[in-house]
Amino acid sequence: MMHPAEAFIFDAQPLRAPGQMRRWLGYALLGAVIALALLAPLLFPADPLRQSLRHALAGPDAAAPLGYDHLGRSLLARLAAGLRLSLAIALSAVTTAAVLGVALGVLAAWRGGWMDRAATLLADSFLALPGLLMVLIVTAVVPQTAVAFWIGLSLVLWIEYFRLSRALVTRLLAAPAVQASRLLGFGPIYIFRRHLWPALAPMLLTLAAFGTATSIMMIAALGFVSVGMRPPAPELGLMMVELLPYYREAPLALMQPVAAMFLTVLSLNLIAGGRRP
């Protein structure tokens, strides 16, 4: 006869399968997107900024397997360059926000008192401004758009890392295992590595996936309303704006940046939503 605990484990395994399948599907989609961004310039070398009006809205050929845009530029080259640009900015912003938010969250929970109150007040102050408005303010101050997006998105994303890490670390510091380590004389580095980081890591990976997807959508949204990257930069939102007037003549050309952004955001959401503690 099967033990009740074994029966519970046996019945619980199928419940975890859908989440695992979503996560691996997300990894597969993200890998395909990254492969397109990195391998396309090697397999089909073309300058994403080079114009040739005699190829305007032309169909696929050997040099441009996805065809040409309204200015005769290779859509594959521009799509790959746009993905590299969006992913680079998003990953840089997420990394900066994670380091800043986790450091302040752990410090606030560890020290408490005025340090905790000051860090919480700072985070609440940043929450008073909408995320897109924050990015727009930074882009108006910083001349280089890519750097402005990196700074602006970092200032938007760090708050979630701070709040979640502060709440989690506050609870962990009161745990008997952490109290025992303190009584035994172990320092902060050991306690963080042994007790805090194993609990923080899954949360950080989930937030990083969601933050990367949010950053890519914000970059594309600002490009779509013509306040983000400037032409002729190959960026997904800007590509949609440029190709939108030609949706009747070349609907497939317009669908390519839309599909690229959709698959990228979908893959990141699947990775984040499929994770289980």
Side-chain angles (χ1 to χ4, degrees), residues 186-268:
F186 291 107
I189 296 178
Y190 173 85
I191 294 176
F192 178 83
R193 180 174 54 85
R194 179 67 178 83
H195 300 288
L196 304 184
W197 178 250
L200 286 171
M203 178 268 293
L204 294 181
L205 292 176
T206 301
L207 278 183
F210 277 127
T212 304
T214 301
S215 300
I216 292 174
M217 288 190 293
M218 292 179 70
I219 296 170
L222 292 176
F224 191 80
V225 296
S226 302
V227 294
M229 304 298 295
R230 301 290 185 266
E235 191 273 319
L236 298 179
L238 189 57
M239 289 177 64
M240 297 179 203
V241 174
E242 293 175 340
L243 292 169
L244 188 59
Y246 309 96
Y247 73 95
R248 293 185 183 272
E249 295 87 344
L252 293 179
L254 175 61
M255 289 304 298
Q256 290 176 27
V258 175
M261 190 181 71
F262 171 77
L263 291 176
T264 304
V265 174
L266 175 63
S267 67
L268 292 167

Side-chain angles (χ1 to χ4, degrees), residues 5 12 14 42 47 55 109 116 126 129 137 166 226 247 264 268 270-271:
L42 301 178
D47 186 355
H55 290 114
D116 187 15
F126 275 89
L129 288 175
I137 292 174
R166 172 182 172 273
S226 302
Y247 73 95
T264 304
L268 292 167
L270 286 174
I271 292 172

Side-chain angles (χ1 to χ4, degrees), residues 75-274:
L75 282 171
L76 177 61
R78 291 185 63 78
L79 199 64
L83 287 171
R84 291 196 302 272
L85 177 64
S86 297
L87 288 172
I89 295 175
L91 292 175
S92 300
V94 165
T95 302
T96 304
V99 172
L100 178 62
V102 172
L104 285 178
V106 173
L107 183 63
W110 194 289
R111 299 296 299 272
W114 69 268
M115 179 69 70
D116 187 15
R117 291 191 296 271
T120 304
L121 178 62
L122 180 64
D124 292 340
S125 301
F126 275 89
L127 281 177
L129 288 175
L132 284 176
L133 180 59
M134 176 75 72
V135 177
L136 284 174
I137 292 174
V138 176
T139 54
V141 176
V142 180
Q144 295 186 7
T145 310
V147 177
F149 272 123
W150 167 57
I151 297 174
L153 291 171
S154 300
L155 294 177
V156 171
L157 296 175
W158 76 271
I159 303 171
E160 289 300 322
Y161 290 95
F162 165 76
R163 298 176 70 181
L164 291 178
S165 60
R166 172 182 172 273
L168 182 58
V169 171
T170 300
R171 179 173 60 84
L172 291 174
L173 290 177
V178 178
Q179 296 295 330
S181 296
R182 283 181 165 180
L183 291 176
L184 292 173
F186 291 107
I189 296 178
Y190 173 85
I191 294 176
F192 178 83
R193 180 174 54 85
R194 179 67 178 83
H195 300 288
L196 304 184
W197 178 250
L200 286 171
M203 178 268 293
L204 294 181
L205 292 176
T206 301
L207 278 183
F210 277 127
T212 304
T214 301
S215 300
I216 292 174
M217 288 190 293
M218 292 179 70
I219 296 170
L222 292 176
F224 191 80
V225 296
S226 302
V227 294
M229 304 298 295
R230 301 290 185 266
E235 191 273 319
L236 298 179
L238 189 57
M239 289 177 64
M240 297 179 203
V241 174
E242 293 175 340
L243 292 169
L244 188 59
Y246 309 96
Y247 73 95
R248 293 185 183 272
E249 295 87 344
L252 293 179
L254 175 61
M255 289 304 298
Q256 290 176 27
V258 175
M261 190 181 71
F262 171 77
L263 291 176
T264 304
V265 174
L266 175 63
S267 67
L268 292 167
N269 284 329
L270 286 174
I271 292 172

